[in-house]
Every structure is written in C-alpha cells, then in structure tokens.
Amino acid sequence: MDNNVISPRQFMYLVILFLIGSSILIVPTPLAKSADQDGWIASFLGMSIGVLFILLYHKIAVTIGDRTFIEATIDVFGKWFGRVICFFHLAFIYIPASLVLRNIGDFMTPQILEETPLQFTHILFMLVVILDARLGIEVIGRSAEMFITWISLLLLFLFLFLTPQLEMDNVQPMFGSGIKSMIQGSFTVMNTPVLEMVVLLMIYPKVKEKTKARQAWLLGLLIGGGFLSMITLFSILVLGSDLTALNEYPVYELASKINIAGFLEGIEIIVAIVWMLTIFFKLIILYYGAALGIAQFFNIEDYRVLLLPLGMGLIVLSIIVYPDVAYFETFVRNVFPYKIMHGLLLPFLL
C-alpha cells in the first residue's frame, strides 16, 4: 500500500484547500438566499460549529491509531456488518467526488470553454487527478505546499482590488435576517464542506507527529473557513444580498467588476485559476480516499490498480449524476441528513 507520509503543515494546507475547494464559487449564493445580508455571519457560525467536528474526528483518529476509517469500521463492527457500513460510506465519498468533477464542467463550459464538450473537460481534469493520486499522498502534500502561497496571494489580490467597491449599506442591518435564518444558513456551510471533512480520516494516519496534527487541522479550518466567510462578505458588500442570491457564481462576477485606473480589468481569470487549483485538491482528496478505502474493503494490496477504472467510472457518473444546475441545488439541500449520518452519527458511533 502507500507508505508515504506528510507533515502536519502539509496536512493543514490540504485542509485549507479542501475547505475552499468548490465552495469558493457555490457557497455564497445559498448563504445569501438563507440569511440575506447576514450570510457572512452564517458562514462564520457554520465554521465555528466545524471545530466540534474536528475535535470528534481527531479523537477518532487518535483512538484508531494507524488505521484508516474504513479499516477501523471493519475491525469495530465486524467482518460482515462492518463491510455493509463501509459500502455506504465509500459511496458517500465517491458520489461527492463525481459532484465536484461535475462542478468543474458546469463552470468551465459556459464561462470559459464555451465550445468544449462537458465530457472532454472532465476527461482532461481526471487524467491529472489520476496521475497525482498514483504518485501517492506525499506528492499530494508537497503539491499543496507548493500552490498554497499562490492561491493565498491571488485571493488577497482579489480582496484588495475590490475594496474601493465595497458598500457598507449592503450588510445593514446586521442580524436583521433573524437568528433562525442565520442558523439555516450555517447548515449550508456544515453541509458543504464541514461534514465532508470526515474523508480526511482516510489520510490522517499518513500524518507525522500526531501531537501537532490536531492543531494543524484546527488552524486549517480557521484559515480556510476565514477565506470562505470573507468571500461571502465581499460578495454581499459589492453585489448586495439579492444579486448574490440570484447569481450562480457571484465570486466570478466580483472579479469581473475590478477596474483599476481603466486599464486593469477583465481579471476574472484569477478566480478561475484559484478555483481550478482548490477544486483539484478537493477532488484528489476525495478520489484518493475512495480508491484507498475500496482497496482496503476488498483487501487489495495496492490501491493504484483501482485508479483507472474508478476514474473512468467517475467521469461517467459525473455526467449522469444530475441533469442540470437547478437539480444540483435541490439535491445539495436535500442531502444534508445523509451527510449528517456519515459525517457525524457514524463517526460518533465508531
């Protein structure tokens, strides 16, 4: 199997990139729909609740030692019943991976590559993901370490040049949407991406210096969640809660509004670059976790033999998983109880 390891710092970078992932484009819209001008507060609230999930996941990781979540589930619940649970949990990892891949196509095709078929975009992206997953978790960790600085700088660049367009009236009155609306908005962040962090238990045994791993995980949540909340805040400050709620990709719209001295404009490609990088790491973590878990489920010595067939299956599933974006939004709202079961109840029971 994969004997590579990563440092706590690299794990922290993976947590940050996983949290930003696809959420950078798709989370501000439902937050604005749920909590209006208080969507950014709902985001902070959801990330604060995420601290409790990390404490639970870390406790599980310490308890199960060097075993992954799949291995521990089979050991605890038995050979047969444990595998039944693992089957559904692996589906919980694999299906979101297909949704993330579809997010790539839904964004790239209409926004950038208008004449490119959706399938072609998925195939090209998956080829890179398969190659990186084949090289192992150590290479994934080093890749995150290499790109995190550029991603952070590009996001800070975006925030800096949007500052002149901020309208403070757009967040007034604060707490005007009501506590109930903000709590409902926090469920959006818990749904994606907080509860999905349970997949990180598949790579947690690869982290060196377990005593520093919890701090790295918490710091990753703080930084990644902070970026998401700031993105939501800037979307509302510039566009207003109504336009943010109506726009499919409000952050991409934000970048298109940057105009410095009449010559620095049309730089929305910055958002596209950031999103492509962060979603790459989210997809590869889900894909690597699914491949490793399935190999352990079937007692296959090397997970790499599964990468190509699983990748082909992921491409097909990403095409048929939902017919359009409107269906995807409905699906994401209704899947919250399923994520609670795998992201909270099953880990707590384990």
Side-chain angles (χ1 to χ4, degrees), residues 153-224:
L153 288 175
L154 288 174
L155 285 174
L156 292 174
F157 175 86
L158 178 67
F159 294 146
L160 176 64
F161 287 103
L162 282 173
T163 302
Q165 301 189 42
L166 301 183
E167 297 288 344
M168 300 308 296
D169 290 341
N170 288 339
V171 293
Q172 301 295 331
M174 289 182 62
F175 305 104
S177 63
I179 298 297
K180 182 179 179 181
S181 296
M182 286 188 286
I183 293 176
Q184 289 177 342
S186 69
F187 288 159
T188 299
V189 178
M190 290 172 59
N191 188 13
T192 304
V194 170
L195 285 169
E196 295 173 342
M197 285 195 299
V198 69
V199 71
L200 294 173
L201 288 174
M202 293 300 299
I203 66 176
Y204 201 86
K206 306 292 184 181
V207 182
K208 299 182 293 185
E209 301 179 77
K210 294 293 193 298
T211 54
K212 298 181 180 179
R214 185 178 74 164
Q215 181 182 356
W217 205 336
L218 290 171
L219 192 57
L221 175 70
L222 177 65
I223 298 173

Side-chain angles (χ1 to χ4, degrees), residues 269-318:
I269 193 64
I270 288 178
V271 172
I273 293 172
V274 170
W275 190 68
M276 290 293 287
L277 290 173
T278 56
I279 203 171
F280 167 78
F281 284 100
K282 180 170 184 176
L283 178 57
I284 198 168
I285 289 171
L286 289 167
Y287 181 63
Y288 174 85
L292 183 61
I294 292 172
Q296 293 169 348
F297 182 88
F298 289 110
N299 292 321
I300 298 174
E301 185 176 350
D302 192 347
Y303 74 95
R304 293 176 179 86
V305 300
L306 299 173
L307 290 177
L308 184 58
L310 287 177
M312 294 170 63
L314 201 65
I315 293 170
V316 175
L317 184 59
S318 67

